[in-house]
Amino acid sequence: VPVRHIEDDEVLTQYGTTDQDFHTEPRVAGVQGMSVIAGGWDPIAAGDIVRYSGALGDGTDAARYTTAGTLRAEGLEVTHTPNRRNPEHVRVQGPGDWGPDESAAFDRSFGPIQVGENLDDGLEEEDDRA
Amino acid sequence: LQRGAPPWEGNAFSAALVETYSFYEIPLVGIIRQGDREYLFRCLAGELEPMSWWAYVAVSSEERTALESTASVEAFDEMVDGLMTRPGAVAVALEDFGIVGWMDEDKWDDPQKHIAPLLDAVDEYLSGLQMQAATQRERLLVS
């Protein structure tokens, strides 16, 4: 997948769940930066991208949104880093090592959390109608 | 596999991550090389969570080439699904520790059969930590 420039007005999605706080710092030593997805994906669609087996679909999938320009205004770097299963993967890095300041800047760049629907409820409603 | 190794390495001493096909905060699908053999791994569940489940199968260099030649995400997933039906292993991992336990898998006929014994391995690991904490509490706080 060709790497492209992420424009300032591009919406970026961070996928998470309602079971835990949205991640604001790298989870693994040696990995610098955070993962987000280029585009404004609803929580279920974002879960389908991140999770090989698909979104949880139990009402806990969640997503929050920002723009590349907002992150850059906070001093963070936004780079398109596609991979085979996620061509829209974007890495957000600090100018140096990621630390508490970068975590805070990353966190305040995002808008409110949206929660995905419970797909099981939908199935049950369909069953009820049947 | 090795207890304590990152699940995307499999064994910190004898194996290495050589290709990542899916990445979101951590490598989720990729290739591990151990000696002259290569293994396809993928995260089965827990991609964002502190506890995660992983599958491993051996692949040939021809299969790896074919995997990397797939023209779409759908075709890639389909091929991974096909490869993941062969004998391999299932592992459970904890963030900040790595692989806690694993079991060989011959048929992939009932993924749930590994859940209880591997959760027992997680319980055992966590119980060990609690015992250590209790022991050190006694040693360090009493004095």
Side-chain angles (χ1 to χ4, degrees):
Chain A
V1 179
V3 174
R4 62 184 175 80
H5 176 71
I6 303 293
E7 301 293 340
D8 278 350
D9 61 355
E10 283 196 56
V11 175
L12 304 172
T13 302
Q14 186 186 22
Y15 172 67
T17 69
T18 57
D19 292 338
Q20 56 182 337
D21 291 339
F22 271 67
H23 296 168
T24 58
E25 60 185 21
R27 294 160 63 195
V28 181
V31 171
Q32 287 294 323
M34 299 298 299
S35 289
V36 295
I37 312 167
W41 304 86
D42 68 59
I44 298 294
D48 285 342
I49 291 170
V50 172
R51 299 183 190 273
Y52 191 96
S53 300
L56 300 173
D58 59 358
T60 63
D61 295 287
R64 60 181 186 169
Y65 307 93
T66 186
T67 64
T70 305
L71 289 162
R72 286 176 179 138
E74 290 282 358
L76 301 171
E77 299 170 4
V78 179
T79 311
H80 184 217
T81 48
N83 57 66
R84 184 162 286 273
R85 282 209 75 251
N86 182 359
E88 298 303 327
H89 182 268
V90 169
R91 178 168 295 163
V92 181
Q93 291 178 274
D97 289 346
W98 192 275
D101 289 347
E102 285 72 23
S103 290
F106 181 79
D107 199 33
R108 65 175 169 259
S109 296
F110 286 89
I113 292 167
Q114 290 188 18
V115 178
E117 59 186 321
N118 187 332
L119 301 178
D120 290 339
D121 284 349
L123 290 175
E124 285 167 12
E125 286 171 15
E126 285 178 20
D127 290 344
D128 291 345
R129 283 198 295 271
Chain B
L1 297 175
Q2 177 208 10
R3 195 171 146 87
W8 51 88
E9 288 182 12
N11 189 309
F13 297 111
S14 64
L17 173 69
V18 294
E19 191 64 58
T20 302
Y21 299 131
S22 178
F23 182 97
Y24 192 87
E25 299 182 349
I26 57 174
L28 295 169
V29 183
I31 298 284
I32 293 168
R33 182 176 298 145
Q34 188 171 37
D36 58 356
R37 303 205 66 178
E38 292 191 332
Y39 298 87
L40 172 68
F41 72 90
R42 83 168 173 95
C43 183
L44 295 170
E47 290 85 346
L48 296 186
E49 287 73 28
M51 185 166 74
S52 54
W53 298 80
W54 301 78
Y56 304 83
V57 296
V59 290
S60 67
S61 56
E62 293 78 13
E63 288 165 338
R64 180 180 166 187
T65 302
L67 197 56
E68 292 173 5
S69 303
T70 50
S72 65
V73 172
E74 292 74 19
F76 175 84
D77 285 354
E78 195 174 321
M79 186 165 180
V80 170
D81 288 343
L83 292 168
M84 284 289 177
T85 60
R86 63 180 49 171
V90 176
V92 64
L94 292 176
E95 201 159 285
D96 298 331
F97 177 76
I99 295 171
V100 176
W102 67 91
M103 296 182 74
D104 291 340
E105 170 59 75
D106 292 330
K107 297 178 181 173
W108 301 96
D109 53 342
D110 178 15
Q112 297 219 347
K113 68 187 173 191
H114 298 302
I115 293 176
L118 288 177
L119 284 177
D120 287 344
V122 172
D123 284 341
E124 191 178 330
Y125 169 74
L126 295 176
S127 297
L129 278 185
Q130 284 180 332
M131 284 176 63
Q132 276 196 38
T135 302
Q136 298 210 4
R137 183 185 300 272
E138 281 182 21
R139 280 184 191 154
L140 300 174
L141 292 184
V142 168
S143 59

